[in-house]
Amino acid sequence: MKNTQATIRDLALKLNISISTVSRALRGAQDVNPETKKAVLEMAALMNYEPNKVAQSLRIKKTNTIGIVVPEIAIHFFASVISGIQHYTSKHGYSIMICQSLESFETEKANVQMLVSNRVDGLLISVASETREYQHLEKLVEKKIPVVLFDRVADSLDVPKVVVDDHDGAFKAVDYLIKTGCKRIAYIGGSLTLSISNQRMKGYLDALKANNIPVREELMVFCNEFHDEPIVATRQLLDLPELPDAIFCMNDPVAILTLQVLKQRKIAVPDEISVVGFTNEPVSRYIEPSITTVAQPAYQMGEAAARMFIDQVENPSSFKPRMETLQTELIIRNSTRRIG
Amino acid sequence: MKNTQATIRDLALKLNISISTVSRALRGAQDVNPETKKAVLEMAALMNYEPNKVAQSLRIKKTNTIGIVVPEIAIHFFASVISGIQHYTSKHGYSIMICQSLESFETEKANVQMLVSNRVDGLLISVASETREYQHLEKLVEKKIPVVLFDRVADSLDVPKVVVDDHDGAFKAVDYLIKTGCKRIAYIGGSLTLSISNQRMKGYLDALKANNIPVREELMVFCNEFHDEPIVATRQLLDLPELPDAIFCMNDPVAILTLQVLKQRKIAVPDEISVVGFTNEPVSRYIEPSITTVAQPAYQMGEAAARMFIDQVENPSSFKPRMETLQTELIIRNSTRRIG
DNA sequence: TTGAAAGCGCTACCAC
DNA sequence: GTGGTAGCGCTTTCAA
């Protein structure tokens, strides 16, 4: 942002016309002499003029920038969501500013504050696993800054949300396991303060109930993070007096770790124990055995979140916060047995 | 960016002091009465004041924002680089604005222009595979906007760069293949206008030469994209009168596709044909067979690029553009035979 | 159709 | 230690 950049004032000086006229010409206003306009445009090109969005933003009180906060960019699911958001919003002239919370509540708050300070026109966020209270987001709502939650949402906030039907996805997965003959189905989940964890667990429970299979407490284990704890959790399940015949994991990273433990213990998958994941990360297709998983439409989720934001900005009066639920798809691969 | 946000003027009015004093107090200037300062800070908290970075940026001619352009966020390698950049720059008070070129030259130009319009303090970019000329970046250099290239760089630009030692990585990979007994080693590469393609091919050629293995034109195939062409390329190699006994792929996505074709044709890996990739994407570890590949320190590359940018901003006079080369590591897995 | 001028929110200079 | 004020680059009335 050096002074080597031409301004409309520079153009005006060169052309011997007023700043206002240059401004109008540049923005293609109707009431400007075609010739003047042409001259301005030519001079702009010649001088390598680039409008200063910072000044523009200050003046019009709109930055055409949206803030995104995700737990981690390098998780494929979130990267895809971001792609979807960007695809949709860039068509509407928005740039995006991205932050990662790295699952930390404090970092998330700092991210949000920074984005507010940068006066983003809206905030699209998937909360950190640590986040239990939402004042930092409520403040934005009070300030009338559009907030859209995706994937990991907070029930208490009255803002637009887009989620996947986690309950249904989990239900379908567990129901399928049962249809393949599994009876002692374990569940490895995440912290229940996380909406998705909660929903997936409920889907698991309801599928058992629907099939008249009793719920066994000892078959349910929960993890606060997905790097080390899932390994402990799997071992715990394998050390039970009676082994499970399937393990439903709340996401693919967990399923991969589970598979590793199973391999170490020389337990055959899916013959002895079936494994199901969630998310359909690219790895799950390539790993051996490939993982049966619940596919989430990540890119579409990004587009949906972006659409909700744009709707809100363009029709601030008529807009009503709503929750959009995207459907999942059970992808059957080789970590589960076949039906019949 | 609604008028619901408090400004320093609001604070000044409430406190019955001047705007200048509020500004100074907020920024912890030295010459301000501790009590006044305290009062200002309290009022700021009370009124939920957030400094307007847009106004600040306009005034000080610095946005504390850096622009990043990558081919695709959802490619794990780039996501990791971005993480590295963000980790480093956020410590220095910078926010990041991210764009994807999706390998399109036109999109890349538009991205750069948008970032310039947003007056980013610097631009960190890995160019699109389509990009053959660099005027859009040269313009930035002329305007004294710091540009740092990473991974996919352009020799012609005199700006700081950070790359991986692609030549050495490829050399090590091919040399290893030879040591495991391979003699007819094929290469599937990318467009040679891409620096990394070029370097990796040279590494391949030099490893052959160093081991007195003749170069065979028919064993080298090139792709412009990495979704469909690698499949055709692999088939082409397999249709040769004499089969290769190894295929060195310029990156892991290509290696995965190659593996698929090999599987379809029921060719045993590594017994009949060995396969090596490049990048060490997470998938390469999990796929069956797991892929021998050349690991690139993505996160460190991001940090290095960020460091170069910060150096340049903080010591504009003494800074000299240089190229930093990071070392690769050959990760030996099951898609290649063992030595001896 | 064009120009003058105010002002977006902030910093920094200069006076007091 | 504090206040007045100019001005960053732009948009947008209002007059001419």
Side-chain angles (χ1 to χ4, degrees):
Chain A
M1 200 171 173
K2 288 293 192 312
N3 45 2
T4 46
Q5 291 272 13
T7 70
I8 52 171
R9 191 164 175 279
D10 298 330
L11 298 186
L13 249 38
K14 281 268 185 192
L15 292 162
N16 249 320
I17 57 176
S18 79
I19 289 179
S20 351
T21 305
V22 174
S23 171
R24 271 186 298 247
L26 246 23
R27 211 153 11 81
Q30 61 289 29
D31 55 350
V32 53
N33 189 316
E35 295 194 10
T36 319
K37 188 170 168 179
K38 185 158 167 280
V40 170
L41 261 28
E42 278 172 3
M43 184 56 78
L46 186 70
M47 297 181 70
N48 234 320
Y49 170 81
E50 294 289 350
N52 184 331
K53 294 239 188 222
V54 178
Q56 242 170 283
S57 299
L58 180 62
R59 181 59 237 250
I60 66 175
K61 290 166 159 283
K62 186 171 186 315
T63 53
N64 282 303
T65 298
I66 67 173
I68 301 180
V69 181
V70 292
E72 203 180 330
I73 300 174
I75 292 178
H76 190 263
F77 172 75
F78 290 115
S80 297
V81 175
I82 293 172
S83 276
I85 294 174
Q86 192 168 60
H87 176 75
Y88 195 92
T89 54
S90 70
K91 288 190 298 191
H92 292 259
Y94 286 87
S95 308
I96 65 176
M97 213 168 226
I98 300 184
C99 298
Q100 332 187 47
S101 64
L102 299 176
E103 306 288 10
S104 148
F105 178 52
E106 288 306 320
T107 306
E108 179 176 297
K109 280 199 293 188
N111 287 338
V112 170
Q113 193 190 2
M114 183 230 94
L115 292 168
V116 171
S117 240
N118 275 291
R119 296 299 188 269
V120 293
D121 293 338
L123 181 72
L124 277 50
I125 179 170
S126 195
V127 300
S129 61
E130 261 183 42
T131 302
R132 323 257 113 117
E133 56 99 352
Y134 303 93
Q135 272 213 292
H136 57 310
L137 299 178
E138 256 154 16
K139 268 198 229 164
L140 300 215
V141 178
E142 282 165 21
K143 290 184 180 181
K144 308 265 184 256
I145 301 171
V147 173
V148 178
L149 293 174
F150 60 88
D151 194 46
R152 304 190 186 172
V153 304
D155 293 336
S156 62
L157 283 172
D158 185 31
V159 301
K161 298 163 195 164
V162 31
V163 294
V164 123
D165 195 335
D166 288 290
H167 180 281
D168 181 62
F171 187 99
K172 283 189 290 199
V174 175
D175 192 61
Y176 177 78
L177 283 172
I178 296 169
K179 290 205 169 35
T180 65
C182 297
K183 293 194 164 44
R184 282 183 60 80
I185 302 170
Y187 173 63
I188 301 181
S191 151
L192 291 180
T193 53
L194 213 54
S195 55
I196 53 172
S197 282
N198 214 338
Q199 290 303 312
R200 289 174 197 177
M201 184 192 66
K202 284 188 185 147
Y204 160 80
L205 293 175
D206 287 344
L208 293 184
K209 259 175 233 158
N211 287 279
N212 295 314
I213 293 184
V215 174
R216 297 189 192 278
E217 293 287 334
E218 72 270 23
L219 290 179
M220 299 171 65
V221 222
F222 300 91
C223 307
N224 285 311
E225 49 78 18
F226 307 129
H227 295 286
D228 301 313
E229 292 190 32
I231 296 177
V232 180
T234 306
R235 289 193 186 136
Q236 189 179 323
L237 290 172
L238 298 183
D239 290 340
L240 249 29
E242 197 177 350
L243 277 188
D245 53 15
I247 301 178
F248 172 47
C249 304
M250 87 148 254
N251 61 33
D252 288 341
V254 172
I256 289 171
L257 294 172
T258 295
L259 241 31
Q260 277 177 0
V261 175
L262 257 27
K263 189 172 271 184
Q264 280 164 12
R265 299 248 182 145
K266 305 209 187 306
I267 295 176
V269 177
D271 300 334
E272 294 174 72
I273 297 185
S274 293
V275 173
V276 176
F278 210 108
T279 311
N280 195 24
E281 293 274 335
V283 214
S284 60
R285 177 178 157 205
Y286 293 115
I287 200 171
E288 183 65 30
S290 58
I291 304 177
T292 294
T293 189
V294 180
Q296 290 175 291
Y299 191 87
Q300 288 91 314
M301 179 175 276
E303 287 186 314
R307 196 181 328 113
M308 283 181 158
F309 163 73
I310 301 280
D311 276 5
Q312 187 166 7
V313 170
E314 298 192 341
N315 315 302
S317 49
S318 67
F319 184 81
K320 292 250 184 314
R322 61 198 176 79
M323 176 148 107
E324 189 166 326
T325 303
L326 304 177
Q327 288 312 305
T328 58
E329 189 193 349
L330 182 66
I331 311 276
I332 296 167
R333 298 211 181 90
N334 299 326
S335 64
T336 49
R337 292 184 255 162
R338 300 284 149 175
I339 291 184
Chain B
M1 201 172 173
K2 288 293 191 316
N3 44 1
T4 47
Q5 291 272 14
T7 70
I8 52 170
R9 193 164 173 278
D10 299 329
L11 298 185
L13 250 37
K14 281 269 186 191
L15 292 163
N16 249 319
I17 56 176
S18 79
I19 289 180
S20 352
T21 305
V22 174
S23 171
R24 272 186 298 245
L26 246 24
R27 212 151 13 80
Q30 61 291 24
D31 55 350
V32 53
N33 188 315
E35 295 194 10
T36 320
K37 188 170 169 179
K38 186 159 167 276
V40 170
L41 260 29
E42 278 172 5
M43 183 59 77
L46 186 71
M47 296 181 71
N48 234 320
Y49 171 81
E50 294 289 350
N52 186 330
K53 294 238 187 223
V54 178
Q56 239 169 280
S57 300
L58 180 62
R59 183 57 238 253
I60 66 176
K61 290 167 161 282
K62 184 170 188 317
T63 54
N64 282 302
T65 298
I66 67 174
I68 301 180
V69 182
V70 292
E72 204 179 328
I73 299 173
I75 292 177
H76 189 263
F77 172 74
F78 290 115
S80 298
V81 175
I82 292 172
S83 277
I85 294 173
Q86 195 170 56
H87 175 74
Y88 195 92
T89 54
S90 68
K91 288 189 297 189
H92 292 258
Y94 285 86
S95 309
I96 63 175
M97 214 168 225
I98 300 183
C99 297
Q100 333 186 46
S101 64
L102 299 175
E103 306 288 10
S104 149
F105 178 53
E106 288 307 320
T107 305
E108 179 175 298
K109 279 198 294 189
N111 287 338
V112 170
Q113 194 190 2
M114 184 229 92
L115 292 168
V116 171
S117 242
N118 276 291
R119 297 297 190 268
V120 292
D121 293 338
L123 181 72
L124 277 50
I125 178 170
S126 195
V127 301
S129 61
E130 261 183 43
T131 302
R132 325 257 112 119
E133 56 101 351
Y134 303 93
Q135 272 213 290
H136 56 309
L137 299 179
E138 257 154 16
K139 268 199 230 164
L140 299 216
V141 178
E142 283 166 20
K143 290 185 181 183
K144 309 264 185 254
I145 300 171
V147 173
V148 178
L149 294 174
F150 60 89
D151 194 47
R152 303 190 186 172
V153 305
D155 293 336
S156 62
L157 283 172
D158 184 30
V159 300
K161 298 164 195 164
V162 32
V163 294
V164 121
D165 196 335
D166 288 290
H167 180 281
D168 180 62
F171 188 98
K172 284 189 290 198
V174 175
D175 192 60
Y176 177 78
L177 283 171
I178 296 170
K179 290 206 169 34
T180 65
C182 297
K183 295 196 160 44
R184 283 182 59 80
I185 302 171
Y187 174 63
I188 301 182
S191 151
L192 291 181
T193 53
L194 213 52
S195 54
I196 53 172
S197 283
N198 214 338
Q199 289 303 313
R200 290 174 197 177
M201 184 192 67
K202 284 188 186 147
Y204 160 81
L205 293 175
D206 286 345
L208 293 184
K209 257 174 236 160
N211 288 278
N212 294 315
I213 294 184
V215 173
R216 298 190 191 278
E217 293 287 333
E218 72 271 24
L219 290 178
M220 298 172 65
V221 222
F222 300 92
C223 307
N224 285 310
E225 48 78 18
F226 307 128
H227 295 286
D228 301 313
E229 290 189 33
I231 296 177
V232 181
T234 306
R235 289 194 185 133
Q236 189 179 319
L237 289 172
L238 299 183
D239 290 340
L240 248 30
E242 196 177 350
L243 278 188
D245 53 16
I247 302 178
F248 172 47
C249 304
M250 88 149 253
N251 61 32
D252 288 341
V254 172
I256 289 171
L257 293 171
T258 296
L259 241 31
Q260 277 175 2
V261 175
L262 257 26
K263 190 172 271 186
Q264 280 164 12
R265 299 246 182 147
K266 304 210 189 305
I267 295 177
V269 177
D271 300 334
E272 293 176 72
I273 297 185
S274 293
V275 173
V276 176
F278 210 108
T279 309
N280 194 24
E281 292 274 336
V283 213
S284 59
R285 176 179 159 205
Y286 293 115
I287 199 170
E288 183 65 31
S290 58
I291 304 175
T292 294
T293 188
V294 180
Q296 291 175 290
Y299 190 88
Q300 288 90 315
M301 178 175 275
E303 287 186 313
R307 196 180 328 113
M308 283 179 156
F309 163 73
I310 301 281
D311 275 6
Q312 186 165 9
V313 170
E314 297 192 342
N315 315 302
S317 50
S318 67
F319 184 83
K320 292 246 184 318
R322 61 198 176 80
M323 177 150 107
E324 188 167 327
T325 304
L326 304 178
Q327 288 312 305
T328 57
E329 188 192 349
L330 182 67
I331 311 277
I332 296 168
R333 299 211 181 91
N334 298 326
S335 64
T336 49
R337 292 185 256 163
R338 300 285 149 173
I339 291 184

